Amino acid sequence: MAHNAATHAPHTLRSYLGRIRSGGARWVSPLVLLLLWEAGSRTGLIPARTLAAPSAVAATMGGMIASGELGHNVLVSLGRAGLGLAIGVLVGGTLAILAGLSKRGETAIDSPVQMLRTLPTLALTPLFIVWFGIGETPKIVLIAVATTFPVYLNLYNGIRGVDARLVEAARAFGLSRAAVIRHVVLPGALPAFLVGLRYALSISVLILVVAEQINASSGLGYLINNARDFMRTDVIVVCLMVYAALGLGADAAVRLIELRSLAWRPTILEA
Amino acid sequence: MNAPIPFPTRPQPVVSLRGFTRRFGSNTVIAGLDLDIAEGEFVALLGRSGSGKTTLLRTLAGLDGASEGEVRVPNSRAVVFQDARLLPWKPVWQNIMLGLTGRDLRARAEGALAEVGLDHRADAWPLTLSGGEAQRAALARALVREPKVLLLDEPFAALDALTRIQMHELVLGLWRRHRPAVLLITHDIDEAIALADRVLVLDGGRIVAEERIASDRPRTLDPALRRRLLARLGVATPEPVETVWAEAAD
């Protein structure tokens, strides 16, 4: 027994340390790359006009945060993405509910939406500039249009995919049509809606990047365009990092919504 | 409450079908069916798949209409389906009270759950229940409405044999306490004989056999009755086998 324990304890300790080391190991190669990048910049292998050094990027970011420049422009961009997304979710959601709940709604709505969705939204940019000028409107409309489709498609499929047996049971217990929709159809379609919302969030950031190239005088796109004109690669990298953070934040937000509103799902229950 | 009326005096039926016919296109599923269920009576309906059982139940549940004939079913009715059909996104107690309004919903749900021995799972998510627990919850959901007619659509078919026996006892207990008229749809002859006052056999959309069982529950199996019902369902059981078995048991 003693012998056994003696050989056993170091083994578990070793595997424990190994776990820590392998957890840390995931960070080793990005860190090495970062150091190589910094070394390349300092020795002049990577000119600053090609790519600024990580230290320079960090310093620029600190300065932009301190001056409020970054915060202000991020808020402007978030406002555009948020407003466009809100309109897209509202329109896509309403259309999906109308098409999903009635045969007449389906014939009236589904085929035109399915046709329109094959258009790449960004190809509409010139048309929107002709219609809405170069102010805020075309940017927001672009985001709204692009986010309408993923919300519509997923929610519509979700509504159509609701378990007919549950609807039947609810009807057998005397629930009105409105009550069936409220208690059975919409909660049943919620997981699909959240998938659509997740797509819509990442699309809104994607469209935001392009939409802000249209003559913006504020926002992340404006910062990037300005930085390009002055070849400030440090500012460009800062903005790219903010875009990445926005994408990650959006995904985390939907995950949080899912955890709270889909708590009944066994996959989440087990986790 | 009146004193129980002794059989065969027939009180006003609570469910009454006259010449009930249901067609889907040119396919007649049920043809000219007459059926009365008395207040508080426990009726079992046996039938093979395709015999029209489900169609009949859907009409009685108000989910489907009649092509012809007269259907009288009180609005005070509740269904227990083969699959419990609880809404997975509502905790058990909210499923019990689905569509009901009023005060003390939670307390009423807990009362109903206690009757089926499930009060400790009031806050559970339905997908975490076992098959037997889910069916108990479905029974509680039906009974909390104090229905005049309780429709049971093969409610125990998906359960294991031991759970099924427990559920039989539970259903009988609940039936004695609440006295709804019960229509149990099943393809299990033993279940029908164990539970019902009257066993009907549905075949090709018609009632082809009717057996009244007056003996007290719990019942010892009557092999002759079982064989008669089986024959009506198109399953021939050779008599000699049973004789041999009986002799061997002596």
Side-chain angles (χ1 to χ4, degrees), chain B residues 53-134:
Chain B
K53 311 193 288 276
T54 307
T55 306
L56 177 60
L57 180 114
R58 286 177 52 84
T59 298
L60 293 177
L63 295 168
D64 192 16
S67 304
E68 274 171 38
E70 186 193 333
V71 177
R72 285 205 310 111
V73 193
N75 272 331
S76 167
R77 61 194 155 186
V79 194
V80 177
F81 298 95
Q82 179 179 343
D83 42 348
R85 303 197 189 184
L86 303 169
L87 299 177
W89 43 83
K90 285 183 188 290
V92 168
W93 79 267
Q94 286 183 16
N95 264 288
I96 306 301
M97 303 313 285
L98 182 69
L100 297 181
T101 51
R103 292 151 57 96
D104 305 326
L105 287 180
R106 167 88 197 198
R108 283 163 68 197
E110 278 175 357
L113 282 167
E115 272 199 77
V116 298
L118 210 61
D119 39 338
H120 60 294
R121 303 303 306 267
D123 290 307
W125 295 112
L127 293 182
T128 65
L129 299 182
S130 71
E133 285 176 331

Side-chain angles (χ1 to χ4, degrees), chain A residues 24-37:
Chain A
R26 294 172 55 84
W27 295 97
V28 169
S29 59
L31 217 64
V32 167
L33 277 174
L34 211 61
L35 287 173
L36 282 176
W37 176 9

Side-chain angles (χ1 to χ4, degrees), chain A residues 225-266:
Chain A
N225 277 346
N226 239 9
R228 180 198 61 204
D229 292 345
F230 295 102
M231 288 197 269
R232 287 288 301 274
T233 53
D234 52 341
V235 177
I236 294 179
V237 173
V238 168
C239 292
L240 292 180
M241 284 165 68
V242 173
Y243 278 134
L246 285 184
L248 283 175
D251 214 54
V254 179
R255 267 173 213 273
L256 198 71
I257 297 175
E258 280 186 352
L259 266 177
R260 291 184 61 91
S261 61
L262 304 183
W264 51 270
R265 285 215 293 202

Side-chain angles (χ1 to χ4, degrees), chain A residues 18 20 30 41 81 95 110 113 163 177 198 232-233:
Chain A
I20 292 179
S41 296
L95 289 177
D110 194 52
V113 173
D163 192 339
R177 188 171 152 77
R198 190 179 264 186
R232 287 288 301 274
T233 53

Side-chain angles (χ1 to χ4, degrees), chain B residues 2 22 29-30 32 38 44 65 86 101 113-115 124 137 140 142 154-155 175 214 242 249:
Chain B
N2 297 327
R22 185 71 180 102
V29 179
I30 293 184
L86 303 169
T101 51
L113 282 167
E115 272 199 77
E154 303 194 29
W175 171 65
E242 227 155 36

Side-chain angles (χ1 to χ4, degrees), chain A residues 19-207:
Chain A
R19 255 207 308 278
I20 292 179
R21 237 178 273 137
S22 70
R26 294 172 55 84
W27 295 97
V28 169
S29 59
L31 217 64
V32 167
L33 277 174
L34 211 61
L35 287 173
L36 282 176
W37 176 9
E38 181 72 36
S41 296
R42 298 217 172 178
T43 55
L45 266 171
I46 308 172
R49 55 187 298 177
T50 305
L51 193 61
S55 54
V57 171
T60 306
M61 189 182 239
M64 288 170 79
I65 291 172
S67 69
E69 189 188 8
L70 190 64
H72 166 71
N73 287 295
V74 166
L75 278 184
V76 168
S77 289
L78 271 181
R80 286 175 187 143
L83 184 58
L85 181 70
I87 297 172
V89 169
L90 202 71
V91 172
T94 309
L95 289 177
I97 288 173
L98 291 175
L101 292 181
S102 79
K103 198 77 204 158
R104 222 181 297 162
E106 187 191 359
T107 21
I109 293 168
D110 194 52
S111 42
V113 173
Q114 297 285 359
M115 277 183 239
L116 282 177
R117 105 191 146 84
T118 58
L119 268 177
T121 311
L122 289 175
L124 294 170
T125 313
L127 200 57
F128 285 177
I129 290 177
V130 171
W131 288 352
F132 307 117
I134 50 174
E136 288 299 292
T137 318
K139 302 177 180 63
I140 290 163
V141 172
L142 266 180
I143 296 173
V145 169
T147 52
T148 295
F149 296 109
V151 171
Y152 171 85
L153 289 175
N154 283 285
L155 182 55
Y156 172 74
N157 271 333
I159 290 174
R160 284 297 157 110
V162 167
D163 192 339
R165 296 168 315 146
L166 294 180
V167 173
E168 194 179 84
R171 280 177 53 210
F173 283 109
L175 268 70
S176 67
R177 188 171 152 77
V180 170
I181 290 170
R182 181 169 149 229
H183 292 292
V184 185
V185 177
L186 293 184
L190 184 63
F193 169 76
L194 289 176
V195 172
L197 185 63
R198 190 179 264 186
Y199 276 117
L201 271 167
S202 46
I203 287 174
S204 71
V205 175
L206 186 78
I207 302 290

